[in-house]
Amino acid sequence: MLLTSRSQIRALNLNHLRQAVRSLIVTMEEKPDPSTATDQQTINEGRASIKVSGNVFYNPVQEFNRDLSISVLNVFAREHCKSDKLEAGVKHEGGIRILEALSATGLRSIRYAKEICGVSEIVANDISRNAVAAIRDNVRDNQVEELVVASENDAIMLMYEHHSKEQQFDVVDLDPYGCPSRFLDSAVQAVCDGGLLLVTATDMAVLAGNSPETCYSKYGAISLRTKCCYEMALRILLQCIESHANRYGRYIEPVLSLSADFYIRVFVKIYTGAHKCKFSTSKLSMVYQCNGCETFTLSPLGVLKTADNKQVKFKLPTGPPVNSQCEHCQHSHLLGGPIWSAPIHNPDFVQKVVTEAPVHLNTVRRIQGVLNVIFEELLDCPLYFILERLSGILHLTTPPMMEFRSAILNAGYRVSFSHSHKTSIKTDAPPKVIWDILRCWERLHPLSDKRRSEKSAGNNILAIKSEKEYSFSSHPHANPPSRREGYVRFQENPLPYWGPGTRSTTMVGDAKMQKSKRNQGKRKRTVSE
């Protein structure tokens, strides 16, 4: 049939649309409910055992994340209840109230109930009805109904509803898939004064400098492509949390900040105090990074000065702290930040977690190893160098780690590892001293004539004569206790292709899944057409 009028064409299109909608409704009604599916699998972790159905993503690597959180919360609960005589799996009146805002299967909440002492209530929340049904089943199967309450709600709205002092939680745990920033505004209000906020971020490509403009839109800071990107990611997340807290007259105190595997995880206490918020500018800095030798320089947003009457004055810094060209290699600078430049750990708290980590945890050896390295980190030295990268810039053979650390210590400066990288150099030695040490190393291990003739940032550095001689002789403190005692400090990849994986589709509606399948390869099809 030949259609000649627009009205006929519109009528036919409308009929097709109605038929398609009817077919879709019939198809959806015929499909079984994922929550009633029989293809269930059992996951055993810690003292919890849960059943999940459908295409759920479970990564055993994240067991370390949950084990560490349990260790931290046990210490926090004892501090909160001011008692060591607490029992896990038992409801304690006056104990801590925990919100797991994005609970999914409920595994983390159930483990918290069975393995953390001094708990009064845990709210396991998820926006998916299927997820909440699964949480209720798993809570009943694990016999923790007295402690865990399932909640079906939007996480952001639920936290906003608990912003008053009477309803705030002692602990809020955010472990989303990807960026956590959209949850932070409500989260900093839902934690009580002195309470603990736990935040995970897995969008490491954004935080590590692959997309600075995206990092700014999500976290309010420019990320840089730098070898110390893992610690910089932690500091970007911390400044983001601080900025949200400051809007409500609140501020943060990081007690533990961790870069592990494919994610970062921070544990921060939230306090209330408008006057203390004024100190935030002195805890944040912009980062100047040389485009050639990658030397970094921090410029604080604010400066504190103490008057004669011991009253603190808040001043603006003068700057910039660098010239238009790098003093070491004559290249230009990149500007990133702001980042959190104050300490990212509380050593006393870290030491308690190390000594009190529950022995039944599968990853307890790794927890003790990583936290021992964290305990040794220099708190007042933000960011770090990578030894092989320093040598690579100058095209030198890489010095042995203990000899390089000895040279820094022999010069009268401090040095430590960072838990973020196994060949990291965290030090209070100025960059000029670092380059001078490498100039001395080059005299012991000269460059080839071919390398020396090249025009590069490294040769610009080597063209400058070192001001003094540095000794590489062994220093008694060069080898730190964590290394000397053989702790599991840096975890190897446990499995191939073990990263964050794909987002779980168990709780996703069928219509969304069909749309996802339709859009697969859409860009390539459009180009070919």
Side-chain angles (χ1 to χ4, degrees):
M1 179 178 66
L2 181 64
L3 301 178
T4 57
S5 69
R6 293 183 180 178
S7 60
Q8 287 177 306
I9 295 174
R10 283 197 296 269
L12 184 60
N13 288 340
L14 184 59
N15 288 332
H16 280 313
L17 179 61
R18 287 170 177 163
Q19 291 174 5
V21 171
R22 290 193 191 100
S23 299
L24 179 60
I25 293 174
V26 171
T27 302
M28 292 178 67
E29 289 176 347
E30 292 176 349
K31 291 203 173 198
D33 186 347
S35 64
T36 62
T38 57
D39 56 332
Q40 289 187 332
Q41 58 174 311
T42 300
I43 294 174
N44 297 305
E45 186 180 288
R47 292 177 178 165
S49 178
I50 66 167
K51 293 179 181 178
V52 294
S53 59
N55 182 24
V56 64
F57 177 77
Y58 169 73
N59 193 340
V61 176
Q62 283 283 51
E63 183 176 3
F64 173 70
N65 182 323
R66 290 180 281 270
D67 284 357
L68 179 63
S69 301
I70 288 168
S71 302
V72 169
L73 291 180
N74 269 308
V75 173
F76 177 77
R78 289 190 184 96
E79 289 183 349
H80 179 272
C81 299
K82 298 179 181 179
S83 173
D84 291 327
K85 297 179 180 179
L86 300 172
E87 187 179 349
V90 177
K91 186 179 181 70
H92 288 264
E93 296 299 332
I96 61 173
R97 294 178 63 240
I98 303 173
L99 168 65
E100 187 193 2
L102 307 160
S103 192
T105 60
L107 172 61
R108 186 182 294 262
S109 288
I110 293 169
R111 287 201 61 191
Y112 284 179
K114 303 187 82 169
E115 301 175 54
I116 296 175
C117 59
V119 173
S120 67
E121 182 186 44
I122 300 170
V123 177
N125 177 73
D126 203 281
I127 196 172
S128 166
R129 183 164 298 174
N130 293 336
V132 175
I135 291 170
R136 290 195 179 102
D137 291 341
N138 288 321
V139 167
R140 183 187 64 249
D141 293 344
N142 283 270
Q143 300 178 346
V144 289
E145 301 99 316
E146 188 181 22
L147 287 172
V148 182
V149 177
S151 165
E152 181 186 340
N153 210 328
D154 177 86
I156 297 173
M157 295 307 300
L158 177 63
M159 289 187 286
Y160 276 134
E161 290 170 0
H162 286 77
H163 74 282
S164 64
K165 288 185 179 181
E166 297 77 17
Q167 294 180 304
Q168 288 173 332
F169 296 94
D170 299 294
V171 177
V172 172
D173 192 335
L174 293 175
D175 192 3
Y177 185 95
C179 176
S181 60
R182 65 193 181 99
F183 300 101
L184 296 180
D185 188 80
S186 54
V188 296
Q189 300 180 66
V191 182
C192 68
D193 194 19
L196 197 63
L197 175 62
L198 292 64
V199 184
T200 301
T202 62
D203 54 338
M204 293 304 294
V206 171
L207 287 164
N210 286 357
S211 183
E213 64 283 355
T214 304
C215 187
Y216 181 79
S217 66
K218 290 184 175 182
Y219 294 96
I222 297 293
S223 56
L224 296 174
R225 272 181 172 269
T226 174
K227 290 299 180 181
C228 57
C229 59
Y230 299 111
E231 184 178 319
M232 191 167 186
L234 285 169
R235 294 180 179 277
I236 287 175
L237 177 56
L238 289 172
Q239 73 80 30
C240 186
I241 300 173
E242 174 81 346
S243 67
H244 282 284
N246 286 168
R247 296 165 195 169
Y248 304 99
R250 314 195 83 185
Y251 61 97
I252 69 170
E253 179 203 337
V255 295
L256 176 61
S257 305
L258 183 85
S259 170
D261 302 322
F262 51 82
Y263 62 88
I264 57 174
R265 177 86 159 160
V266 297
F267 303 80
V268 301
K269 288 185 178 179
I270 305 288
Y271 293 100
T272 303
H275 177 69
K276 287 286 187 179
C277 290
K278 295 182 179 182
F279 290 81
S280 292
T281 55
S282 63
K283 301 174 186 176
L284 305 174
S285 297
M286 302 301 291
V287 182
Y288 290 85
Q289 179 182 282
C290 174
N291 211 11
C293 66
E294 300 177 11
T295 299
F296 55 83
T297 305
L298 271 63
S299 177
L301 299 187
V303 177
L304 304 179
K305 298 207 173 173
T306 305
D308 294 337
N309 59 359
K310 296 185 178 180
Q311 185 177 1
V312 176
K313 298 290 185 181
F314 302 94
K315 302 289 185 181
L316 292 176
T318 58
V322 295
N323 297 322
S324 58
Q325 289 184 319
C326 174
E327 63 176 305
H328 308 291
C329 70
Q330 309 307 312
H331 281 64
S332 59
H333 289 90
L334 299 173
L335 180 61
I339 66 169
W340 178 268
S341 51
I344 61 175
H345 315 294
N346 181 319
D348 294 334
F349 189 91
V350 172
Q351 190 172 38
K352 288 181 183 177
V353 178
V354 172
T355 56
E356 299 177 23
V359 294
H360 75 274
L361 301 175
N362 288 335
T363 64
V364 66
R365 287 185 66 247
R366 185 184 177 192
I367 289 172
Q368 291 172 341
V370 171
L371 294 189
N372 268 283
V373 178
I374 287 175
F375 182 74
E376 295 167 352
E377 285 185 15
L378 296 177
L379 293 177
D380 56 346
C381 300
L383 308 181
Y384 53 84
F385 299 100
I386 300 297
L387 182 56
E388 61 266 28
R389 182 56 184 161
L390 291 172
S391 304
I393 290 170
L394 302 182
H395 305 298
L396 299 176
T397 58
T398 303
M401 176 61 76
M402 292 303 105
E403 291 189 29
F404 194 81
R405 286 170 60 95
S406 292
I408 295 173
L409 291 168
N410 290 332
Y413 298 99
R414 295 174 298 150
V415 65
S416 76
F417 284 102
S418 165
H419 76 279
S420 303
H421 200 285
K422 59 184 177 182
T423 59
S424 52
I425 300 289
K426 184 181 278 286
T427 180
D428 60 349
K432 187 179 187 310
V433 171
I434 298 297
W435 294 124
D436 272 356
I437 291 173
L438 287 168
R439 290 183 185 107
C440 293
W441 179 259
E442 191 273 335
R443 284 200 293 275
L444 299 173
H445 304 82
L447 276 180
S448 65
D449 293 337
K450 181 180 179 181
R451 283 291 191 188
R452 190 173 288 281
S453 63
E454 295 175 353
K455 290 184 178 180
S456 66
N459 280 340
N460 289 346
I461 292 173
L462 291 175
I464 303 172
K465 187 177 179 181
S466 63
E467 292 185 353
K468 58 180 288 189
E469 289 296 320
Y470 290 89
S471 170
F472 293 92
S473 60
S474 179
H475 191 282
H477 297 144
N479 194 12
S482 63
R483 185 177 183 271
R484 192 167 57 243
E485 295 172 15
Y487 284 108
V488 181
R489 300 180 303 144
F490 303 102
Q491 187 78 357
E492 298 294 331
N493 293 356
L495 296 168
Y497 316 113
W498 60 275
T502 55
R503 189 190 300 267
S504 170
T505 57
T506 307
M507 311 306 176
V508 179
D510 290 334
K512 187 171 182 179
M513 288 300 298
Q514 291 172 2
K515 179 180 179 182
S516 176
K517 290 180 180 179
R518 287 199 309 271
N519 288 338
Q520 287 181 7
K522 181 178 179 181
R523 186 177 299 176
K524 292 182 180 179
R525 292 198 305 270
T526 304
V527 172
S528 62
E529 291 171 0

